[in-house]
Amino acid sequence: MNYITYNKMLSVLVITSFLFAACTKTDAPDLSPAAFGAKTISITQLKALSVAAEVRLPDGADGKQITGVVISDREGKNTDPKTIILQSDGQDTAGIVVLLDSISPFNPGDWVAINASGQKLQRQHGEVVLKDVPLSRIQHIGKGIVKIVSVSVAEAVANADRWNGALVRFYDGSLTGGDGKFSGMLSFREADSSAVVQSQVMPGAAFENTVYPTGISTFTGILRNNENNPYIQVRNAADVNSTSVTRMVTDEMNIYGMNNQLYWENPNITTGSSILETGVSRYTVKDIVGNLPAFASDAGFLPAKRSYLYLILKQPAFVWDLRSSLELTTQPGIKEIRVTFAGSNFTGLMTKSGNDKIIVNPFNPTTDSFKVALHYTIGSYVTDTVSAAYSETGKLYTAVFRVPARRELFRAVSESDAYWYKTWVDEFLQEPRFSIVNYSDRVDPNQDPWALPASAPIIITKIEYGY
């Protein structure tokens, strides 16, 4: 059951077909990105030609050319000014270091073709490089898409040869070294992992000696190799993003103007849609929810004179598909959502409506648990990311949900929306919508399959957006 409703107007796509009359082979135009008179091969195929310390590539009729997207950043000055790093514009993510005969004029995202005919492939410090390429051998084609390989540190180190020269991204960790500044050789370590990878900041880098974040949400850079010691070449300070949440949504919740819903005995508990007002925005709530001062049983650990959002019903059970949720609409650029919540201490009859009752059974830590999930829908792609399970009532926990990056969404959504996936992802990123769903478990040994599912109320005390 989707809790996010999209009201979409599908644009009419006018697909124009060009019908070409048959022509002779000599009349057919050369539609390759850059016609240098050389055969276009992939970056992976080019690197495979490096069978010795130095190889002179074929010339003439056997000449080779490659195309790719520049991922190095000359303005960041953490790459030699005569070096560009090119990543495949094809299906793979292979990259290659290209040493030029003069200072590079290229910027990240530039799509180029390089005529490598007669040029040298050389092995340097464990890397295959295309060496001393004249600028006249490089043709700018246009703008390409910079692909990012999202991996763990352990995966990157284990596949250092495969992803050498590619742009990689790690999540959730910390840097050490440089006395807290971008300087010299640093070390990035993932949270809850012993995996470590080094990161080098060259003297004269534009961001040298600036302070790096104490906690890191995303760490991006080019995977390089130094005598079989992989390291990350950060391009600029923007490649290192802090875990700090830059905007807090609310820690005070009130419901105003509830329309078209069924009231229960407690006027603050409702089913159906309603409007949740906070200090900065409005949200909708679904199914059985309550927004009110803390129940007396929860007053001991919740601050007084505040209102809270209770998500009362648990995940689907028996014939019903009911679970409380809070729907959020965020701003573009969202990186994470943090939800601070607790399992309620309430037990017994919470409220009723006619013959339907909401009864909360005593919490059993051996069978029951409290969980929340972040739910979102993109086209026909639906996902629920569920928090850890907690087996203690009356204690505040914070669930951190990372929002996948654009390229990650492309890979996931394309499997279910092969044709429309780019449109769906781009629309989602322009107006990201999520639901926070009560995924708690509360066992009811006497559950009537036609009654409401067992209640496992959780209390939302704070929601934070991280950009």
Side-chain angles (χ1 to χ4, degrees):
M1 176 178 180
N2 291 343
Y3 292 97
I4 302 176
T5 302
Y6 289 101
N7 295 318
K8 297 184 179 295
M9 296 181 63
L10 297 180
S11 301
V12 178
L13 296 181
V14 180
I15 304 175
T16 305
S17 300
F18 294 92
L19 301 178
F20 293 96
C23 57
T24 63
K25 183 177 180 181
T26 55
D27 292 332
D30 185 352
L31 299 179
S32 60
F36 285 150
K39 179 183 177 181
T40 300
I41 62 174
S42 69
I43 291 176
T44 299
Q45 290 171 322
L46 179 71
K47 293 173 78 170
L49 298 176
S50 177
V51 294
E54 183 173 294
V55 172
R56 179 75 65 172
L57 295 170
D59 205 347
D62 296 323
K64 313 293 182 187
Q65 74 172 21
I66 58 172
T67 61
V69 180
V70 176
I71 59 173
S72 49
D73 181 11
R74 63 191 179 98
E75 292 186 355
K77 298 182 181 179
N78 202 33
T79 308
D80 182 87
K82 292 185 178 181
T83 298
I84 63 172
I85 301 175
L86 206 64
Q87 187 165 283
S88 171
D89 52 1
Q91 294 299 314
D92 63 7
T93 51
I96 190 168
V97 178
V98 182
L99 307 183
L100 309 177
D101 67 348
S102 55
I103 293 176
S104 167
F106 301 108
N107 296 308
D110 284 346
W111 183 26
V112 300
I114 299 179
N115 185 348
S117 302
Q119 301 300 299
K120 291 184 291 185
L121 277 180
Q122 194 174 87
R123 294 182 181 177
Q124 292 187 4
H125 309 296
E127 296 182 316
V128 176
V129 302
L130 186 60
K131 191 176 181 186
D132 299 334
V133 178
L135 288 179
S136 60
R137 292 294 191 106
I138 305 178
Q139 181 171 342
H140 184 271
I141 302 170
K143 284 294 182 181
I145 297 176
V146 176
K147 292 181 282 190
I148 301 175
V149 184
S150 295
V151 292
S152 68
V153 170
E155 288 172 326
V157 172
N159 294 275
D161 289 338
R162 173 187 173 191
W163 289 321
N164 177 246
L167 195 61
V168 299
R169 174 170 290 164
F170 309 118
Y171 294 93
D172 302 326
S174 59
L175 278 174
T176 55
D179 291 328
K181 298 180 179 180
F182 289 108
S183 178
M185 193 65 75
L186 309 176
S187 294
F188 174 79
R189 178 173 179 170
E190 289 177 316
D192 302 323
S193 172
S194 59
V196 176
V197 67
Q198 291 186 316
S199 180
Q200 185 176 20
V201 179
M202 294 175 55
F207 55 99
E208 185 185 19
N209 292 322
T210 61
V211 176
Y212 56 70
T214 55
I216 295 172
S217 61
T218 59
F219 185 77
T220 306
I222 302 168
L223 184 60
R224 301 292 305 273
N225 206 349
N226 182 19
E227 306 298 349
N228 297 320
N229 293 311
Y231 69 96
I232 300 299
Q233 192 169 50
V234 173
R235 300 167 302 168
N236 47 58
D239 277 342
V240 183
N241 290 317
S242 172
T243 56
S244 299
V245 176
T246 58
R247 174 185 168 208
M248 185 180 74
V249 175
T250 185
D251 59 1
E252 175 71 11
M253 302 182 184
N254 300 282
I255 284 184
Y256 303 100
M258 296 184 291
N259 299 315
N260 300 320
Q261 46 267 320
L262 172 66
Y263 286 93
W264 289 63
E265 186 177 74
N266 186 327
N268 291 301
I269 293 180
T270 177
T271 186
S273 298
S274 59
I275 301 300
L276 171 66
E277 293 277 357
T278 74
V280 295
S281 190
R282 306 177 80 196
Y283 307 97
T284 60
V285 292
K286 301 277 284 186
D287 298 319
I288 309 297
V289 299
N291 196 256
L292 64 169
F295 284 109
S297 56
D298 297 324
F301 73 96
L302 294 176
K305 298 182 180 180
R306 289 264 303 276
S307 59
Y308 301 94
L309 175 67
Y310 279 77
L311 299 183
I312 296 168
L313 289 187
K314 56 167 275 185
Q315 63 181 348
F318 297 93
V319 299
W320 294 100
D321 184 21
L322 296 174
R323 50 189 173 190
S324 299
S325 65
L326 165 68
E327 298 181 11
L328 312 172
T329 299
T330 71
Q331 297 298 316
I334 185 75
K335 293 188 296 187
E336 71 174 24
I337 295 176
R338 297 186 177 211
V339 181
T340 301
F341 72 104
S344 174
N345 287 317
F346 188 95
T347 59
L349 177 65
M350 181 174 281
T351 186
K352 64 181 180 180
S353 177
N355 293 325
D356 290 325
K357 300 177 181 179
I358 295 179
I359 298 175
V360 182
N361 297 324
F363 184 78
N364 183 351
T366 62
T367 59
D368 305 340
S369 64
F370 296 105
K371 294 175 287 190
V372 294
L374 187 72
H375 168 100
Y376 58 91
T377 302
I378 305 176
S380 61
Y381 175 74
V382 181
T383 185
D384 284 11
T385 304
V386 185
S387 73
Y390 300 102
S391 296
E392 186 176 351
T393 61
K395 184 176 181 179
L396 292 173
Y397 300 97
T398 298
V400 181
F401 299 104
R402 185 180 65 81
V403 178
R406 185 171 185 264
R407 295 303 301 175
E408 293 177 274
L409 291 174
F410 277 167
R411 287 195 295 269
V413 177
S414 63
E415 295 180 1
S416 56
D417 281 304
Y419 184 77
W420 288 105
Y421 78 97
K422 187 178 186 303
T423 299
W424 298 143
V425 169
D426 287 343
E427 288 183 357
F428 173 80
L429 293 174
Q430 286 301 311
E431 190 179 45
R433 298 184 180 187
F434 306 90
S435 290
I436 298 171
V437 186
N438 185 356
Y439 251 74
S440 302
D441 296 311
R442 184 70 68 93
V443 173
D444 182 359
N446 301 312
Q447 176 69 55
D448 178 353
W450 295 101
L452 287 172
S455 299
I458 62 172
I459 312 154
I460 306 293
T461 66
K462 184 165 63 175
I463 304 168
E464 297 169 289
Y465 293 161
Y467 290 95

